[in-house]
């Protein structure tokens, strides 16, 4: 089979190669997916670049945790009803050597979810990390009905999902964006107001004004290194910041300011969701997909041989979703 690999961590153009590997067979409790599209996420580029890992965990890595395709083989003890089903999957490369950037990937069956007929494989490859992250951030900590939710990075893949989820749940949704074009994407997703974030004092004032002087009851944060110092100015009394990302490893938190607003901060890594939290997120996403009406960011599709370009696309924070296509050629 064809697979994208890297044998050393470094710049995408220097380390990513398209190679031939043996086609895998599913083991006990596993299914094999004939991959249609492999989703590229920031965590994939950080792992490949050596940002999130200190050393190579394997002699080589097939990257990417998200993807979509059709189950074409069932391992011993796995659910045979999955055979032939269109699926989305997640965590393919979390603590594993072989991710989704290949013609085939073998996965524990609990990482594979059937797709409703009306959800295409293109959109399905963007479900895993972005939508599960957004669902847990919006619904995993508090009820947002009739409350104000601020989504930072509202035009990102997680941000666009979070805006829609909060809007569906009855929240007043505010967002930040870095350009007029990205602000337009956030508004199209359902944000009531979208603000630039280059002037923190102006941002705090606009959030307060848009929330009737209160601030955000829930802040869904993509970059705690930037926003954490502003939490006391952005949060309502008793508000919560839920963090799923940061551009830097260290953040500064105004403790006394947080005391004054009785605010709280939570953080999570979507790969490590488990137990009740993961079960609720999966059920929530499945229900959302079944109901229809949820919109996905436009996809930019790259060939497997252009995996490095897809990684650069993500590193440059280009709008939309980067996917690698592994569909069979006509």
């Amino acid at each position: 089979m064809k697979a994208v690999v890297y044998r050393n961590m470094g710049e995408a153009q220097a380390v990513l190669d398209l190679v031939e590997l043996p086609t895998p067979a599913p083991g006990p409790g596993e299914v094999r997916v004939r991959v249609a599209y492999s989703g590229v996420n920031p965590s994939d580029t950080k792992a490949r670049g050596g940002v999130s890992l200190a050393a190579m965990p394997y002699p080589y890595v097939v990257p990417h945790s998200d993807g979509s395709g059709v189950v074409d083989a069932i391992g011993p003890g796995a659910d045979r009803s999955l055979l032939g089903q269109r699926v989305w999957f997640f965590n393919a490369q979390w603590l594993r050597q072989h991710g989704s950037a290949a013609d085939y990937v073998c996965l524990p069956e609990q990482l594979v979810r059937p797709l409703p007929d009306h959800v295409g494989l293109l959109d399905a490859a963007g479900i895993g990390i972005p939508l599960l992250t957004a669902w847990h951030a919006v619904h995993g900590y508090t009820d947002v009905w009739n409350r104000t939710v601020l989504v930072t990075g509202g035009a990102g893949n997680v941000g666009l999902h979070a805006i829609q989820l909060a809007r569906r749940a009855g929240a007043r949704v505010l967002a930040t964006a870095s350009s007029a074009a990205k602000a337009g994407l956030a508004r199209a997703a359902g944000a009531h107001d979208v603000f630039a974030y280059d002037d923190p004092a102006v941002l705090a004032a606009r959030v307060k004004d848009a929330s009737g002087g209160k601030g955000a009851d829930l802040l869904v944060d993509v970059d705690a290194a930037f926003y954490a110092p502003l939490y006391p100015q952005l949060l309502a009394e008793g508000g919560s910041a839920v963090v799923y990302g940061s551009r830097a490893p260290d953040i500064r938190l105004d403790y006394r300011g947080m005391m004054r607003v009785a605010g709280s901060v939570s953080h999570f890594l979507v790969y490590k969701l488990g137990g009740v939290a993961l079960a609720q997120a999966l059920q929530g996403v499945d229900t959302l997909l079944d109901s229809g009406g949820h919109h996905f960011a436009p996809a930019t599709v790259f060939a497997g041989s252009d995996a490095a370009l897809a990684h650069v696309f993500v590193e440059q924070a280009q709008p939309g979703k980067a996917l690698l296509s592994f569909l069979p050629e006509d």
Side-chain angles (χ1 to χ4, degrees), residues 37-40 64 122-123 125-126 157 296-304 306-307 309-314 317-325:
Y37 298 101
S38 173
V40 188
H64 308 166
L122 194 72
D123 285 339
N157 287 297
F296 291 82
T300 298
V301 180
F302 299 83
D306 291 327
L309 297 179
H311 277 229
V312 172
F313 180 97
V314 173
Q318 297 288 342
K321 183 69 181 177
L323 305 177
L324 299 186
S325 174

Side-chain angles (χ1 to χ4, degrees), residues 9 52 55 66 91 94 109 139 157-158 160 169-170 193 204 206 217 230-231 240 245 304 323 329:
M9 293 185 291
S52 58
D66 290 348
N91 281 13
W94 173 246
E109 65 173 298
H139 293 298
N157 287 297
V158 174
L160 291 171
D193 289 290
R206 295 191 70 184
D217 299 293
L230 306 178
Y231 288 168
S240 300
L323 305 177
E329 295 180 3

Side-chain angles (χ1 to χ4, degrees), residues 103-114:
D103 288 332
Y104 297 90
V105 63
C106 292
L107 298 160
E109 65 173 298
Q110 60 267 29
L111 302 183
V112 175
R113 310 292 287 190

Side-chain angles (χ1 to χ4, degrees), residues 155-173:
N157 287 297
V158 174
L160 291 171
H161 289 312
I163 288 169
Q164 293 180 78
L165 291 170
R167 186 70 187 260
R168 276 179 175 248
R172 177 168 183 78
V173 185

